[in-house]
């Protein structure tokens, strides 16, 4: 493979230099004339993200999203790796289903990927591990779209097996109260923060020493209860139900949006959060047009996650170092996969960012969903994303290179 040179790239420390890539890895940082040059015009080049919580749909849900459109969205948002959570249809609980899902991803994906195994009463844990499940879960300790709540007995039995196999288990922790849900406020009250904490404590008590990672934590009040690692989604960090129209289903997700005070408290505790992950969960425009009580929960987010965070960096509300830590270094470390970096020998997963924010518009995004809860919010988008040394996304154009399937 001929060398690729990203010339005049600005590194995180402010240095302007060339980044030379050969055979999918960074071979030199410094002036270079040997290879195809792409002038970055002093734009910021940082490691491309690993989004460890996405739902790529596909199969019978392909009207919502498929591996092609979902990973195009990821690349256009500055992510080079995605990890698919298995509340797909059918549940990813057998060797055969798992192999089929991986093969779909191999054929269609524009980025690197991992695929998690389901935690269900019928899951073939040993078979899924042998076939390459990167992790397990979302383990539904609270019900959500396409995922029924597991009993404590099933959680206990599953965690005992997965602890023995030293597998990472990602946990959806919610308590769902029985009440009518007709607007965003009802939805939040039906899945309260107190229930999130209660369920975290339950799973902790049943862990058998398993490696636990708690998904989409919706309140800073939950932090102290967590044993293991956790993630926060951009929608809980940046949105709240008080500033949305009460019955707008585009802001319905599980866990729900919280009060403005709680959302701001979450953002104020940004430095305590180990991972930001999108929980990309697309549904069609028609599905979201249903009345509130019937509309599915979930929002698209893989393409907007990094742009939203980079805009916070632009506004000097958070540091660039913290963004790289929470979207690259920490998720890769938790998943036990190699993390890219801007250093010689590192895998060349690189995102080159614009220097100015732009308004987020659904019409400019690439998910099949066709809508976004972040409409008209500011985002700083990448101009180019390199995956394994190949330019997969550049100025609105895509090309598919060789992707890596990350497995246990």
């Amino acid at each position: 493979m001929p060398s690729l040179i990203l010339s005049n790239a600005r590194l995180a420390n402010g240095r302007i230099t060339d980044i030379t890539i050969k055979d999918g890895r960074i071979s030199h940082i410094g002036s270079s004339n040997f290879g195809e040059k792409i002038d970055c015009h002093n734009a910021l080049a940082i490691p491309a993200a690993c989004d460890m919580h996405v739902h790529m749909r596909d199969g019978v849900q392909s009207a919502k999203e498929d591996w092609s459109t979902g990973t195009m969205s990821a690349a256009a948002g500055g992510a080079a790796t995605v990890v698919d959570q298995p509340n797909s249809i059918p549940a990813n609980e057998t060797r055969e289903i798992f192999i089929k899902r991986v093969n779909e991803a191999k054929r269609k994906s524009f980025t690197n990927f991992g695929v998690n195994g389901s935690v269900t009463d019928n899951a073939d844990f040993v078979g899924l591990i042998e076939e390459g499940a990167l992790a397990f879960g979302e383990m539904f300790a609270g019900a959500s779209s396409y995922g029924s709540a597991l009993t404590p007995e099933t959680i206990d039995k599953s965690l005992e097996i997965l602890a023995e196999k030293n597998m990472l288990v990602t946990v959806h922790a919610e308590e769902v109260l029985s009440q009518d849900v007709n607007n965003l406020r009802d939805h939040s009250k039906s899945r309260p923060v107190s229930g999130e904490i209660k369920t975290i404590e339950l799973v902790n008590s049943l862990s058998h020493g398993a490696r636990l990672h708690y998904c989409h934590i919706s309140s800073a009040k939950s932090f102290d209860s967590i044993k293991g690692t956790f993630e926060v989604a951009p929608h809980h960090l940046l949105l709240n139900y008080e500033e949305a129209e009460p019955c707008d289903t585009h802001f319905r997700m599980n866990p729900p949006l919280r009060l403005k005070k709680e959302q701001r408290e979450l953002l104020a505790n940004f430095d305590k959060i180990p991972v930001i992950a999108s929980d990309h969960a697309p549904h069609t425009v028609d599905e979201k047009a249903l009345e509130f009580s019937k509309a599915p929960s979930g929002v698209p987010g893989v393409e907007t996650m990094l742009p939203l965070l980079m805009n916070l960096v632009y506004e000097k509300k958070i540091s660039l170092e913290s963004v790289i830590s929470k979207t690259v270094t920490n998720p890769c470390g938790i998943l036990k996969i190699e993390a890219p970096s801007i250093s010689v020998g590192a895998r060349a997963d690189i995102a080159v960012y614009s220097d100015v924010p732009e308004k987020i518009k659904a019409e400019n995004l690439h998910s099949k969903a066709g809508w976004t809860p972040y409409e008209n919010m500011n985002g700083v988008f990448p101009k180019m994303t390199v995956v394994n040394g190949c330019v997969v996304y550049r100025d609105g154009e895509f090309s598919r290179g060789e992707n890596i399937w990350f497995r246990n």
Side-chain angles (χ1 to χ4, degrees), residues 3 27 46 68 88 109 156 170 172 206 233 257 349-350 370 376 384:
S3 295
S27 60
I46 61 173
S68 179
S88 44
S109 182
D156 180 69
T170 67
H172 182 121
L206 301 174
L257 294 183
D349 292 350
I350 302 169
N376 289 320
M384 175 170 56

Side-chain angles (χ1 to χ4, degrees), residues 5-9 11 15-20 26 28-33 37-38:
I5 301 169
L6 305 183
S7 66
N8 300 311
L11 307 188
R15 176 188 174 191
I16 306 295
T17 189
D18 296 347
I19 303 171
T20 303
I26 296 174
H28 181 67
I29 297 176
S31 181
S32 180
N33 291 306
K37 278 196 174 186
I38 298 177

Side-chain angles (χ1 to χ4, degrees), residues 107-124:
R107 289 196 310 271
K108 299 178 182 179
S109 182
F110 283 77
T111 65
N112 303 325
F113 67 92
V115 177
N116 288 354
S118 292
V119 180
T120 67
D121 288 314
N122 301 314
D124 177 7

